[in-house]
Every structure is written in structure tokens, then in C-alpha cells.
Amino acid sequence: MLSKKQARAFFLGGTLVTFLIFIGLTVYSLSDGNDQTNKENITESVIRGKKIWETNNCMGCHTILGEGAYYAPELTQVYNRRSEEFIKLFIKDPVAMYPGKRKMVKYNFSDGEIGDLISFFKWISEIDANGFPAEPFLKKYTSSGIIRTGVISNIKKPEIFGKLCLSCHTLDGNGQRIEPAPSLDNIGNIRDRDYLEKWIKDPNMVKKGALMPKFPLSDETISELADFLSKQKIE
């Protein structure tokens, strides 16, 4: 059993060693060779985006790098999970994309402010966070596993398809499928054009409780997507 003098020495010695280790690790982490914050990529747009994030108290609901509330999704890797177009449309009007499902308010940000937020999310996503946040087990699939032969594809792929649809779906092994969004390989063999057009226009009207968002797309764009997807079939 330690005496009072020995206990005091042990406490002070342990405190000093721990303090020195903490200082050493801090210096090591902040040295140029070990900096993981990619600070060289901080632009004026990133700085403005961070200010928007802070002044609107986004951390009151979301988290970034594990800091913030856990009421709404963690956004450290949102830039890699979703396309820029998806993020832009969501921020512009969250409720319109998910009628009755999202409680995030519409902030009425300008396109420039939304662009700054996206720049901030992009910079955050490039920070080496040592694998944080962890990928959900069996959450994503990069390929459908379907071998397609004799596919009808004599129609031009709409530009918006790559910007939005491939954020959740896959086609020909491209995109990142997120459950429960299905692969779109051979979707034309499963659904006809009329169904696809109605679904893209308002998924919740076709299937109550559908998880796919209602994108604010023009009738012309919806028609182009329906034409393209209806041709994704084998005959």
C-alpha cells in the first residue's frame, strides 16, 4: 500500500507524463507531414459554406465529423453519398422532395449559398477521418450482377440521369445502389413507360410511403427519363 507521500508522487508523475504525451501527440498531429485536414483545399467558397452551416445552426440537427446532434443524418460523407445535383435540390426544398417525411425547414438559400454549402461538404468529405463514419453493413452495392445481352439502348441517356438517378441506383455497373433502391438493369422488362413516368413524377402517388424523393423535374425531363428507362430491357 502506498504512503501518502508516494501516492502524491505517483499522481503528480502520472499527470506530468500524460500531459507531455498529450502535447507530443498534438504537435505530431498538427505537423505539416501529418495534417489530415487538406487545408490547402480551403477556398473562399468553403469558408462561406462553413459560415452558413454555423449561422443557421445546422449542427442543432446534423453532425459532421461526429460533432452535433443526432436527430438528422450525419453529413461527413454526404458529398460522396449523394450527387451535387441531389444535394442542391434537397437543400432548395426538402419538404417538396419528401412530402410529409422530412422535418428540415426550407431556408430559401440562394443558388450561390447552396453552392458554398456544397463546397463545404466536398471539403469535409476529403478530410482523412480514419474511416469515419463507418459504412453500414451491406448497405451499398456497386453492381447488380446482371449480365445484359441484346439490350435496347437506341436512345440518348439524359444528362440528369447520371446526376440524380445514379446517386441511389445502378445501371450497367455504374452508380452506387443504396437499399432499397433497385438496380435499373432491365427495368423496361419490369415496368412500362407509363408506369415509369408516373413513378418519376411522384413516387408517393404510385406507392404510398415510397422512399424515393419527388424531384422537382420538368415534364420534359421526366418524359426523357421515362423514355430512356423503358428502353432498358432485353427482347
Side-chain angles (χ1 to χ4, degrees):
M1 185 173 180
L2 296 176
S3 66
K4 188 174 182 179
K5 184 177 180 180
Q6 290 173 324
R8 184 185 298 112
F10 181 80
F11 170 77
L12 293 175
T15 301
L16 178 61
V17 170
T18 303
F19 177 74
L20 291 175
I21 291 174
F22 175 77
I23 294 298
L25 289 174
T26 300
V27 172
Y28 175 81
S29 299
L30 296 178
S31 61
D32 290 338
N34 298 303
D35 184 10
Q36 297 174 295
T37 63
N38 64 303
K39 60 184 178 183
E40 66 279 2
N41 293 329
I42 297 178
T43 63
E44 290 299 321
S45 182
V46 171
I47 294 172
R48 290 194 300 267
K50 184 175 185 292
K51 287 182 179 178
I52 293 171
W53 171 267
E54 292 173 343
T55 56
N56 288 277
N57 191 32
C58 300
M59 291 178 72
C61 293
H62 297 277
T63 58
I64 275 189
L65 297 175
E67 295 186 13
Y70 283 84
Y71 176 72
E74 217 284 340
L75 299 180
T76 302
Q77 290 294 327
V78 67
Y79 186 86
N80 293 326
R81 294 199 309 268
R82 302 294 191 184
S83 65
E84 287 192 18
E85 190 69 21
F86 187 103
I87 297 172
K88 179 180 178 180
L89 292 176
F90 182 81
I91 296 175
K92 198 173 274 286
D93 196 341
V95 177
M97 280 184 65
Y98 292 93
K101 297 179 184 178
R102 289 292 189 269
K103 298 186 182 300
M104 178 173 163
V105 300
K106 181 179 179 181
Y107 284 96
N108 294 313
F109 292 134
S110 68
D111 288 342
E113 289 173 323
I114 293 175
D116 291 336
L117 274 171
I118 292 174
S119 294
F120 174 61
F121 292 144
K122 182 177 186 297
W123 174 71
I124 286 289
S125 73
E126 294 169 349
I127 290 177
D128 183 358
N130 297 316
F132 177 86
E135 287 286 336
F137 181 63
L138 294 179
K139 183 68 175 178
K140 293 184 180 179
Y141 303 81
T142 56
S143 176
S144 65
I146 297 177
I147 299 176
R148 306 208 300 160
T149 58
V151 179
I152 299 175
S153 57
N154 60 342
I155 185 170
K156 184 180 178 181
K157 182 188 298 183
E159 184 179 355
I160 197 70
F161 181 82
K163 292 181 177 180
L164 283 184
C165 305
L166 292 183
S167 294
C168 299
H169 300 273
T170 56
L171 180 67
D172 289 331
N174 297 313
Q176 52 176 7
R177 181 180 164 215
I178 301 178
E179 287 285 8
S183 163
L184 297 177
D185 292 310
N186 309 332
I187 189 65
N189 290 115
I190 303 170
R191 304 295 186 187
D192 60 30
R193 188 197 176 286
D194 183 57
Y195 181 96
L196 291 169
E197 184 169 21
K198 291 178 181 177
W199 177 267
I200 298 169
K201 192 167 188 175
D202 190 346
N204 198 59
M205 289 296 291
V206 178
K207 181 182 178 181
K208 199 69 175 175
L211 296 179
M212 178 172 160
K214 179 183 178 182
F215 292 111
L217 304 174
S218 66
D219 289 342
E220 180 182 0
T221 299
I222 292 173
S223 179
E224 290 176 355
L225 284 170
D227 285 340
F228 173 71
L229 291 173
S230 66
K231 296 294 183 181
Q232 301 308 308
K233 60 183 178 180
I234 296 174
E235 288 191 350

